[in-house]
Amino acid sequence: MTLQELRYLVALADRGHFGRAAAACHISQPTLSTQIKKLEEHLGVTLFERTNKAVHVTAVGEEIVARARQVLAETEAIVEAARRKSGPLTGAFHLGVISTLGPSLLPWLVPALRNDYPKLRLAVHEDLTAHLLDRLITHRIDAALMALPISDSRLEALPLFDEPFWFAAPRGHKLAKGKAVKVEELRGQRLLLLTEGHCLRDQALAICGTVAAENADEGDFRATSLETIRQMVATGMGCTLLPAMALGDRNGGAITVRPLAHALGRRIGLVWRRFYPKVQDLRLFADTIRDHLPRGVRRI
């Protein structure tokens, strides 16, 4: 029994599908199937019940998967113990960042990290929340910066800062004249949203209720980036909600922004696997973020 076999075991338990687990482990499906069967033969038990549509962990498999997670966590701890003498936050660190946060966060975070921890080799993985959670659980990244809350007993989260949303509209828009925009005033407005899968889209819909659904017959103007949406607003195609750090350029005055009443927004936190061996490093990493926050967000 090898550590790699245990990683395959956990990947299959997490996904319940040989194809998806094999892709996550960067091996072929037949190879994964062979390795799992070999592990079952070695242990003398059936770990998974297989059907044409899904794979389910057996009762004895649940206990073995839980112990496999502990073994993999302890393995990470051994590696960390060997590196500890070189100081905190040294070596490779794989950080996930949600795509609506990365462009506005990384320009000030990376220089701060280089100054505080010059031996840290930061590798950034920008993606959607669901994909980053998958990378976390499968040990492909160390931690991730994303919107909270995250409901998964396998993960832990540390809140870092609150980021308010702002209403962005074309110059001359009727809601661009007041001091703050009330949620009920968004009714009847053409609200431009990101494509499905972005947590910011879900947050905007949660704030605006049925506004977007009511305007669905006016056309589908969803985009994959906040920058694209900002350009669409500048051309007068509609309005949107932008996080404070993403306000950026106002396109030569073509966009007017106003705060939302009641300071509605999102909470950003650092998320990692339970039993991650370098929790103290993560807390130092979190402190660096909190100590270098730009204006417009509130430290927690």
Side-chain angles (χ1 to χ4, degrees):
M1 183 168 54
T2 66
L3 289 174
Q4 192 60 61
E5 288 174 341
L6 295 183
R7 293 188 181 96
Y8 295 156
L9 169 67
V10 171
L12 183 56
D14 286 338
R15 287 165 180 77
H17 188 278
F18 274 97
R20 290 192 290 270
C25 296
H26 306 289
I27 59 174
S28 67
Q29 184 171 330
T31 298
L32 177 64
S33 180
T34 299
Q35 293 299 316
I36 294 296
K37 185 174 179 58
K38 177 182 174 183
L39 182 59
E40 288 179 322
E41 291 174 350
H42 175 76
L43 296 174
V45 296
T46 299
L47 300 172
F48 298 95
E49 294 179 358
R50 300 156 173 85
T51 67
N52 292 332
K53 296 183 178 180
V55 178
H56 302 282
V57 184
T58 62
V60 66
E62 290 282 2
E63 180 180 353
I64 292 174
V65 168
R67 292 183 180 276
R69 294 187 195 278
Q70 294 176 4
V71 169
L72 293 174
E74 286 299 319
T75 301
E76 289 187 10
I78 291 172
V79 174
E80 170 58 18
R83 295 175 177 171
R84 197 165 295 156
K85 289 187 178 180
S86 59
L89 286 173
T90 60
F93 183 78
H94 291 263
L95 176 70
V97 183
I98 54 175
S99 52
T100 56
L101 181 64
S104 56
L105 176 140
L106 295 175
W108 55 263
L109 175 59
V110 172
L113 288 170
R114 285 176 178 169
N115 181 70
D116 292 353
Y117 302 101
K119 294 183 180 180
L120 179 69
R121 300 198 310 274
L122 182 67
V124 177
H125 304 260
E126 188 179 78
D127 212 328
L128 300 177
T129 298
H131 297 164
L132 293 178
L133 291 174
D134 181 70
R135 288 175 184 238
L136 268 176
I137 292 169
T138 55
H139 296 243
R140 286 183 286 163
I141 58 177
D142 295 290
L145 290 167
M146 57 182 60
L148 303 180
I150 297 296
S151 299
D152 192 316
S153 60
R154 295 168 293 181
L155 303 173
E156 295 188 13
L158 178 66
L160 299 176
F161 60 89
D162 288 330
E163 183 179 23
F165 291 150
W166 287 64
F167 176 75
R171 180 175 52 198
H173 191 278
K174 64 179 182 179
L175 294 182
K177 299 177 182 179
K179 292 184 178 180
V181 177
K182 298 178 181 179
V183 172
E184 53 267 27
E185 291 181 298
L186 298 177
R187 190 169 302 280
Q189 303 301 317
R190 178 174 294 179
L191 199 64
L192 307 179
L193 300 174
L194 291 168
T195 54
E196 293 185 8
H198 290 270
C199 59
L200 185 58
R201 171 185 171 83
D202 297 333
Q203 291 156 355
L205 287 173
I207 290 174
C208 301
T210 60
V211 172
E214 291 173 350
N215 298 325
D217 59 345
E218 296 183 7
D220 191 349
F221 297 101
R222 300 175 189 175
T224 58
S225 74
L226 289 177
E227 179 57 31
T228 299
I229 284 188
R230 185 177 13 247
Q231 296 298 332
M232 292 160 67
V233 171
T235 63
M237 294 180 68
C239 309
T240 194
L241 299 182
L242 292 175
M245 290 194 297
L247 293 179
D249 178 54
R250 309 293 165 80
N251 295 69
I255 296 176
T256 302
V257 298
R258 291 289 182 269
L260 288 181
H262 310 300
L264 298 170
R266 63 180 179 177
R267 173 161 291 185
I268 300 298
L270 186 64
V271 182
W272 64 88
R273 290 182 299 281
R274 192 176 296 273
F275 306 120
Y276 183 77
K278 299 183 285 185
V279 175
Q280 186 56 40
D281 276 12
L282 294 180
R283 296 192 180 280
L284 291 173
F285 186 88
D287 287 341
T288 295
I289 295 176
R290 290 193 184 107
D291 291 343
H292 295 85
L293 289 175
R295 296 180 59 184
V297 301
R298 184 177 66 84
R299 171 177 174 155
I300 300 175

